[in-house]
Amino acid sequence: MDTFLGIDYNIWWFLVFGGVISGYAILDGFDLGAGALHLFLKKEQSRRIALNAIGPVWDGNEVWLVIGGGALFAGFPVAYAAIFSAFYVPFMIFLVGIIWRAVAIEFRSKEPMGWWRKTWDIVYSFASIVIALSLGLMLGNVAYGIPLNAEKEFDGNWLSFFNPFSILVAITTLALFMMHGAIYLTMKTENRLFAKLHILANNFIIFFVLSFVITTLYTLLYIPHLSDFFRENPLGFIIPLLMVLTIANIPRQIKKGKYRYAFISSSVTIALLLIMVALEVFPFLLYSTSDPQNSITIANAASSPKTMKILLIIALIGTPLVAIYTSFVFYTFKGKVKLDEMSY
Amino acid sequence: MDVEILARVQFAFTIAFHYIYPPLSIGLGLLLVIYEGMYLKTGDKKYEQIARFWIKIFALIFGLGVATGIIMEFEFGTNWATYSKYVGDIFGSALAAEGIFAFALESGFLGILIFGWNRVGPKVHFFSCIMVFLGSMFSAVWIVVANSWQQTPAGYHIVGEGLNARAEITDFWAMVFNPSSVERLIHVWIGCFLAGAFLVLSVNAWYILKKRHLDIAKRSFRIALVVATVSGLLQLLAGHKSADGVARNQPAKLAALEGHFDSSARADMYLIGKVNNKTQEVSGISIPGGLSFLLHGNFTEPVKGLNAFPEDERPKQVNAIFQFYHIMVACGMIMIGMTLLACFYWWRKNLFDKRWLLRAFVWAVLLPQIANQAGWFAAEMGRQPWVVYGLLKTSDALSKSVTANQVLFSLILFLGVYFILFLLFLYLLNRKIQHGPVDYGTKEHIDEGSKRDNPIMDHES
């Protein structure tokens, strides 16, 4: 097996893919969350400020989804093929959500009429909610596993995606994004809107903690194969422990008025959550519930070593570049939102 | 209907709809760079006004391009799982490279381009404009590379057999610079420039006819005319290079483009015509031996015909391929004729008095769009029945676990959504054009601002 710094290429690419997905969840997470809570803001001006808070960056955030798709396609084509053909129906719903959300943001500001803007506000908010829920639903099913046949193709009924565990994960994802989005917006707003978001952020923290606890208990009680890892590797408990600490840190920072630290804390929470899922499923990319022999693993789904090498080079050159100009864009738009003639 | 037809229709429809927008983004991106560059060089506020106006339209087009493009990336996995497994090693790396090198660049700087006027200086704004344009150009590079590899595979070997067979990279650069990449990329790029330039020409021709924003309309018209003329003439060369490449690499496709069935000694070139797929006859106006001449430099050299290929290795819908190809060429010729004529009148200093020509330019916005779509269809249908030329048949590339009903469901979903989107797009584009460029820093702008955008005036709900 080819290795780089003593770690084989498949694991490297699993880490890169995990990193991209975490990046996506952290970045698009806050703008999806802002979208999901959009209708909680009642005034036209508040909604405009909330939109402009994500305006210059949401497009760049969504790029991480595209990179993630490309990374999975390139590194683990077998998994890419199986996952997207298996999750056909929820994924199509997700994609339609992506389309409507993008155009709702773009179209809303183009006409001044009240009904026009309210319509697009609703489309934008619902699409954000649908995206968050379907992402969570798919994550839940990936973690739980789906039936696969010997050709590693989905061999089940799409209605089975709507199982209690995955629905819980979906709700937790939505709650997490709403919390994350509310915290982001507190950094970008002032005065009364800021005060309102401060309250909303606290409410969404409670919503998230509740759904997270219920999902965790459900997993421990009913889904043994997901907790195996922690039973066999007690050291791994560091991750959930860290998670509890970062989650507890969020309301603490908000109380102190340090919203930026609260935002960093909720970003770390998202990353830890995904690391936990990754540890639970590793080395599987898609566990087969019908016959574990048919599971898709990072070994049997991987591209050739040559491609893995090329991909690592691409990632090593590309990631710093993306990091530099993403930081530059965020830096350009730092601080509270001010509306001007080019705003939404 | 069976899954294959539905999946092909869905792919064709979603890509055709997507392919309206990226060429406009790339072409407009080039013009934005020129307009902002002129502003930076001359300091003339009029150029800023032009740039700001087109950036708003650019944002609308870009938004639709992104939304419809994300669908494409995942459609390979949803509908064409076997294909994805077969080419993941190669196609996947091109897509990953597109995401990280091109799309990230474009989307990152787009925020500054649209919202950055009051946040960064003119030089940084100009820089962002160039980055967005370069990002869109790089996107085209990787997408065309991935598609060209399907047309003319190179730098790979096949491992495994039967259902487990797949292509693996042996030489990355040979894959990137496969025999058709470069010539197809240049052909596509120029097609994009024409799409952008003709949109600008159309809108400004309309302003001139309506006597609105005359000063800036004439300026932007002239600049777009230069871009369109140069692009049109270059496209003659690039298009010819492309056809040459097809003859070399995909002889069955070339035969279909020209409706050429028998490998006769003298291959005719049709200007216009109709192919009867059954009787294998072409009727129309042709230049005798023209195809032989174009490909080999003499009128009698034989060109390989469709019948020289096994029945199951040649495209079936020859008439459709023939028509798409000829429509593309015809649109190209009309564009070249129009731009040259306009340049002639410009030189004679009476361009803007030729109202009939301006009226023609208003409608000519459709020409590059039709040419791009037709060219794409000719290229893709001409590749059939192969999804990867000579290696993998389209009928073998499907997702095995996906049912016809699922594909039909998503097809109807996309048809409905895209139909509404397209109407909204046209409505908003029209409104933007009716509204016209705003003169920043004058009374009109302030009035306009307080009407439309001033938050204090926004009603509370």
Side-chain angles (χ1 to χ4, degrees):
Chain A
M1 184 56 74
D2 289 289
T3 58
F4 175 65
L5 302 176
I7 297 172
D8 88 51
Y9 281 115
N10 299 346
I11 296 180
W12 271 115
W13 200 248
F14 182 72
L15 292 173
V16 171
F17 177 66
V20 173
I21 291 302
S22 307
Y24 172 70
I26 291 168
L27 290 171
D28 213 25
F30 75 73
D31 64 59
L32 284 169
L37 62 81
H38 191 65
L39 296 180
F40 283 91
L41 310 174
K42 296 280 184 263
K43 287 184 187 139
E44 161 69 10
Q45 194 189 344
S46 310
R47 290 178 175 183
R48 289 192 65 204
I49 291 173
L51 267 173
N52 282 289
I54 64 151
V57 294
W58 74 268
D59 222 351
N61 295 344
E62 217 167 86
V63 169
W64 289 75
L65 175 69
V66 176
I67 297 177
L72 189 65
F73 196 169
F76 304 110
V78 177
Y80 168 87
I83 288 174
F84 293 114
S85 57
F87 293 119
Y88 196 89
V89 174
F91 200 72
M92 287 296 161
I93 293 168
F94 169 80
L95 289 179
V96 171
I98 290 272
I99 296 179
W100 281 118
R101 183 170 181 273
V103 297
I105 298 175
E106 203 46 61
F107 287 176
R108 183 191 187 278
S109 63
K110 299 286 185 285
E111 293 286 342
M113 296 86 80
W115 63 267
W116 173 272
R117 294 193 166 192
K118 268 181 219 151
T119 309
W120 290 113
D121 283 335
I122 293 167
V123 173
Y124 166 59
S125 195
F126 271 83
S128 305
I129 293 169
V130 166
I131 293 168
L133 287 176
S134 47
L135 274 177
L137 190 80
M138 288 187 276
L139 180 70
N141 279 296
V142 166
Y144 183 75
I146 60 171
L148 294 171
N149 64 22
E151 282 174 33
K152 308 206 186 314
E153 297 242 11
F154 179 53
D155 184 19
N157 182 340
W158 62 273
L159 283 170
S160 61
F161 294 140
F162 297 87
N163 54 68
F165 170 72
S166 303
I167 291 171
L168 281 173
V169 176
I171 294 169
T172 310
T173 307
L174 176 64
L176 176 63
F177 284 176
M178 286 175 99
M179 170 183 86
H180 194 49
I183 299 168
Y184 176 78
L185 289 179
T186 54
M187 297 195 299
K188 308 296 285 182
T189 53
E190 307 168 285
N191 307 329
R192 287 180 59 187
L193 177 57
F194 164 80
K196 170 147 197 182
L197 283 160
H198 182 108
I199 297 166
L200 281 177
N202 280 323
N203 291 342
F204 292 133
I205 291 169
I206 296 168
F207 176 31
F208 168 65
V209 170
L210 274 179
S211 45
F212 179 66
V213 168
I214 295 169
T215 309
T216 309
L217 285 176
Y218 187 91
T219 313
L220 292 173
L221 288 174
Y222 296 105
I223 318 211
H225 77 261
L226 285 183
S227 38
D228 279 353
F229 171 82
F230 295 104
R231 240 167 268 145
E232 286 157 23
N233 305 281
L235 257 182
F237 272 106
I238 288 176
I239 305 288
L241 193 71
L242 273 175
M243 250 183 89
V244 171
L245 291 177
T246 50
I247 293 173
N249 189 42
I250 298 169
R252 188 172 143 258
Q253 298 294 353
I254 287 185
K255 198 166 247 170
K256 284 202 280 184
K258 297 194 167 159
Y259 299 96
R260 190 193 292 215
Y261 289 117
F263 183 72
I264 292 170
S265 253
S266 77
S267 302
V268 175
T269 306
I270 294 175
L272 288 171
L273 200 72
L274 284 165
I275 289 172
M276 206 167 75
V277 175
L279 288 174
E280 285 166 353
V281 299
F282 186 83
F284 295 105
L285 286 165
L286 198 56
Y287 182 77
S288 171
T289 49
S290 52
D291 179 358
Q293 288 293 317
N294 299 340
S295 298
I296 293 170
T297 66
I298 63 163
N300 69 25
S303 284
S304 62
K306 172 112 188 166
T307 293
M308 288 298 197
K309 248 177 253 182
I310 294 165
L311 288 174
L312 266 187
I313 295 170
I314 291 176
L316 284 173
I317 302 171
T319 316
L321 287 173
V322 176
I324 290 169
Y325 49 74
T326 306
S327 324
F328 176 64
V329 175
F330 273 85
Y331 174 79
T332 304
F333 294 99
K334 73 178 193 309
K336 307 288 184 188
V337 174
K338 297 272 185 279
L339 296 177
D340 62 28
E341 77 275 3
M342 294 302 270
S343 301
Y344 282 125
Chain B
M1 269 190 278
D2 70 336
V3 183
E4 187 191 342
I5 294 294
L6 286 168
R8 278 182 65 187
V9 169
Q10 179 171 330
F11 197 86
F13 172 70
T14 45
I15 203 138
F17 189 75
H18 174 62
Y19 201 50
I20 297 170
Y21 307 100
L24 284 174
S25 303
I26 293 174
L28 262 187
L30 174 65
L31 282 156
L32 287 176
V33 169
I34 297 174
Y35 291 143
E36 279 216 27
M38 296 288 281
Y39 169 51
L40 212 60
K41 193 164 163 257
T42 62
D44 188 335
K45 282 279 184 191
K46 294 276 182 212
Y47 287 112
E48 189 200 6
Q49 220 176 311
I50 297 172
R52 281 193 186 227
F53 171 68
W54 284 105
I55 283 172
K56 282 188 178 174
I57 291 176
F58 182 87
L60 183 66
I61 291 167
F62 190 89
L64 276 148
V66 173
T68 53
I70 290 179
I71 315 299
M72 301 314 311
E73 188 190 17
F74 294 104
E75 216 167 314
F76 300 115
T78 54
N79 290 350
W80 305 96
T82 311
Y83 163 82
S84 301
K85 280 190 248 183
Y86 192 87
V87 300
D89 220 73
I90 290 150
F91 204 83
S93 14
L95 276 189
E98 194 257 347
I100 202 157
F101 291 134
F103 193 38
L105 185 67
E106 198 177 4
S107 299
F109 282 98
L110 182 75
I112 298 180
L113 188 69
I114 300 174
F115 300 101
W117 288 104
N118 301 333
R119 292 269 180 168
V120 296
K123 277 188 186 145
V124 177
H125 199 272
F126 180 56
F127 176 75
S128 306
C129 189
I130 294 174
M131 290 301 119
V132 170
F133 171 61
L134 281 183
S136 65
M137 292 280 281
F138 293 156
S139 267
V141 171
W142 292 106
I143 298 301
V144 173
V145 161
N147 182 271
S148 295
W149 187 84
Q150 277 179 272
Q151 309 275 355
T152 55
Y156 69 98
H157 65 159
I158 302 291
V159 291
E161 275 176 28
L163 284 170
N164 295 315
R166 59 194 205 120
E168 278 188 358
I169 290 187
T170 52
D171 181 342
F172 180 72
W173 294 112
M175 182 276 282
V176 171
F177 294 103
N178 66 67
S180 65
S181 285
V182 176
E183 58 206 24
R184 296 182 82 236
L185 175 65
I186 293 170
H187 191 48
V188 165
W189 268 345
I190 298 175
C192 298
F193 298 158
L194 286 168
F198 270 82
L199 176 66
V200 175
L201 287 171
S202 167
V203 171
N204 288 301
W206 187 75
Y207 284 151
I208 295 164
L209 285 168
K210 295 270 166 193
K211 301 206 166 29
R212 288 194 208 165
H213 322 288
L214 272 180
D215 183 22
I216 55 177
K218 285 179 182 172
R219 283 194 210 197
S220 16
F221 190 94
R222 283 192 203 103
I223 292 173
L225 182 59
V226 173
V227 173
T229 313
V230 174
S231 304
L233 292 173
L234 289 176
Q235 193 67 305
L236 266 186
L237 294 175
H240 177 65
K241 273 302 272 179
S242 249
D244 234 15
V246 174
R248 208 168 44 244
N249 304 312
Q250 298 171 288
K253 187 202 274 191
L254 184 93
L257 293 174
E258 288 290 356
H260 187 58
F261 286 93
D262 295 314
S263 312
S264 58
R266 254 166 49 150
D268 300 346
M269 187 172 70
Y270 282 86
L271 301 175
I272 190 164
K274 186 178 178 309
V275 183
N276 187 324
N277 293 342
K278 285 214 181 70
T279 62
Q280 307 199 335
E281 279 166 0
V282 194
S283 45
I285 307 164
S286 67
I287 303 172
L291 187 60
S292 297
F293 179 76
L294 213 60
L295 298 176
H296 303 293
N298 74 65
F299 289 98
T300 50
E301 185 99 12
V303 175
K304 215 170 169 186
L306 273 171
N307 291 334
F309 300 89
E311 180 102 39
D312 62 342
E313 289 182 16
R314 59 193 196 212
K316 287 203 179 58
Q317 293 115 326
V318 183
N319 186 44
I321 297 166
F322 177 96
Q323 298 303 348
F324 281 129
Y325 175 70
H326 284 82
I327 288 170
M328 173 188 77
V329 175
C331 288
M333 292 303 165
I334 300 172
M335 286 189 269
I336 292 172
M338 284 179 76
T339 49
L340 287 180
L341 192 61
C343 285
F344 172 73
Y345 287 133
W346 182 9
W347 175 64
R348 295 275 297 268
K349 295 194 168 55
N350 57 357
L351 169 60
F352 298 118
D353 304 329
K354 302 285 173 199
R355 294 182 66 82
W356 65 271
L357 187 59
L358 291 174
R359 245 177 257 133
F361 268 109
V362 173
W363 288 102
V365 66
L366 296 173
L367 289 172
Q369 291 295 337
I370 296 169
N372 283 344
Q373 297 284 347
W376 182 260
F377 272 87
E380 298 299 274
M381 288 177 77
R383 193 193 57 213
Q384 297 301 328
W386 303 101
V387 67
V388 182
Y389 205 72
L391 292 179
L392 182 70
K393 292 256 174 78
T394 309
S395 52
D396 296 328
L398 291 158
S399 301
K400 294 192 190 66
S401 64
V402 173
T403 63
N405 279 340
Q406 286 175 324
V407 184
L408 187 64
F409 151 79
S410 55
L411 176 60
I412 293 170
L413 199 67
F414 285 128
L415 280 169
V417 170
Y418 284 6
F419 179 70
I420 302 170
L421 282 190
F422 192 60
L423 290 184
L424 284 165
F425 170 71
L426 291 182
Y427 168 76
L428 287 172
L429 186 65
N430 180 46
R431 291 285 300 223
K432 281 263 154 263
I433 293 166
Q434 298 280 353
H435 187 232
V438 178
D439 194 354
Y440 290 85
T442 64
K443 191 173 171 299
E444 185 204 348
H445 163 232
I446 294 160
D447 289 349
E448 199 48 50
S450 59
K451 250 200 324 258
R452 291 174 69 88
D453 286 324
N454 191 329
I456 301 155
M457 296 290 286
D458 275 331
H459 62 103
E460 312 225 322
S461 49

